[in-house]
Amino acid sequence: KQEVTQIPAALSVPEGENLVLNCSFTDSAIYNLQWFRQDPGKGLTSLLLIQSSQREQTSGRLNASLDKSSGRSTLYIAASQPGDSATYLCAVLSGGYQKVTFGTGTKLQVIP
Amino acid sequence: DGGITQSPKYLFRKEGQNVTLSCEQNLNHDAMYWYRQDPGQGLRLIYYSQIVNDFQKGDIAEGYSVSREKKESFPLTVTSAQKNPTAFYLCASAHRGPAYEQYFGPGTRLTVT
């Protein structure tokens, strides 16, 4: 059974700092890994998707990397801003029926 | 506008009543998913469907039922057998291509008293 863990559970940083969020998974036979952002009481917004054959993806100040062999992904946020404050979730697609397993999330607060 | 709609945004029910949550997408996606989110927790998969007339149980399917009669619709019924139904319910869809990227609806907050 696929298990996905995110560390830390919460993070508070001053504005302008670069930061790294971590996601680990137990079964390396994945189809893809997707990073999401969730604002309080809202649905999820897709940030980056890394297919199993890829090592990283970039979008603006965000960079996500994937190391299947070690079962890890990182989301790097450069020059953090107060508007980046949200919960960040990673999700892994795996299995014959393309089942999705989510991590528990990292709640980020960027202090002005 | 293409996207996923969930209705209603807030739903209140008395204990013992069945309730159906709507999820519609006009993205022409094959796959659709239902998740449950409890306060301070991640998402847990309830049911998912890769094609019309076929669906699989997720990790917490007990007390829930679904149907997939049309490609664009994947309604979720919360039955009276669900012990703790109060939660935030999220629907998602994905195109079954190389990327398989999920897109989410705005969610329905269900409160059962």
Side-chain angles (χ1 to χ4, degrees):
Chain A
K1 178 184 176 184
Q2 180 73 269
E3 294 182 1
V4 181
T5 304
Q6 290 186 247
I7 295 173
L11 183 63
S12 183
V13 301
E15 181 177 1
E17 191 163 299
N18 302 328
L19 57 101
V20 174
L21 307 181
N22 297 292
C23 173
S24 61
F25 46 94
T26 55
D27 183 353
S28 62
I30 67 170
Y31 193 83
N32 69 26
L33 186 144
Q34 196 169 354
W35 282 94
F36 294 90
R37 168 191 173 129
Q38 185 179 30
D39 294 291
K42 305 291 185 182
L44 276 65
T45 301
S46 179
L47 298 173
L48 290 165
L49 179 144
I50 311 176
Q51 297 179 53
S52 62
S53 59
Q54 299 172 329
R55 295 299 300 270
E56 66 177 339
Q57 286 288 332
T58 298
S59 176
R61 293 183 295 110
L62 305 180
N63 176 275
S65 66
L66 173 64
D67 184 346
K68 281 201 312 178
S69 61
S70 65
R72 294 179 183 274
S73 176
T74 60
L75 178 66
Y76 174 82
I77 302 177
S80 58
Q81 303 171 356
D84 294 331
S85 298
T87 296
Y88 290 81
L89 295 152
C90 69
V92 172
L93 185 72
S94 59
Y97 281 103
Q98 289 82 43
K99 183 181 175 185
V100 179
T101 306
F102 271 84
T104 50
T106 294
K107 186 173 183 178
L108 173 65
Q109 181 183 28
V110 180
I111 303 167
Chain B
D1 278 338
I4 303 173
T5 57
Q6 292 185 246
S7 60
K9 187 173 182 178
Y10 298 96
L11 192 54
F12 298 89
R13 281 294 183 270
K14 293 291 187 184
E15 193 173 322
Q17 294 179 335
N18 291 354
V19 59
T20 297
L21 281 60
S22 169
C23 178
E24 304 277 335
Q25 54 97 1
N26 61 5
L27 301 168
N28 199 34
H29 285 169
D30 296 297
M32 297 188 73
Y33 299 80
W34 272 108
Y35 299 91
R36 168 185 173 136
Q37 187 175 37
D38 294 285
Q41 297 189 29
L43 278 66
R44 291 184 290 169
L45 183 64
I46 305 173
Y47 269 99
Y48 59 116
S49 168
Q50 300 297 334
I51 56 174
V52 174
N53 293 322
D54 187 44
F55 48 82
Q56 283 75 45
K57 293 182 179 180
D59 298 315
I60 55 166
E62 186 175 349
Y64 299 96
S65 66
V66 294
S67 63
R68 187 81 189 279
E69 298 176 1
K70 298 187 295 182
K71 187 176 185 179
E72 58 270 22
S73 177
F74 192 40
L76 174 74
T77 297
V78 184
T79 74
S80 57
Q82 168 52 230
K83 300 301 181 188
N84 187 18
T86 295
F88 188 46
Y89 290 87
L90 288 156
C91 177
S93 70
H95 174 60
R96 295 180 65 198
Y100 224 108
E101 185 172 6
Q102 285 192 92
Y103 294 86
F104 276 79
T108 292
R109 187 167 299 279
L110 173 65
T111 302
V112 177
T113 57

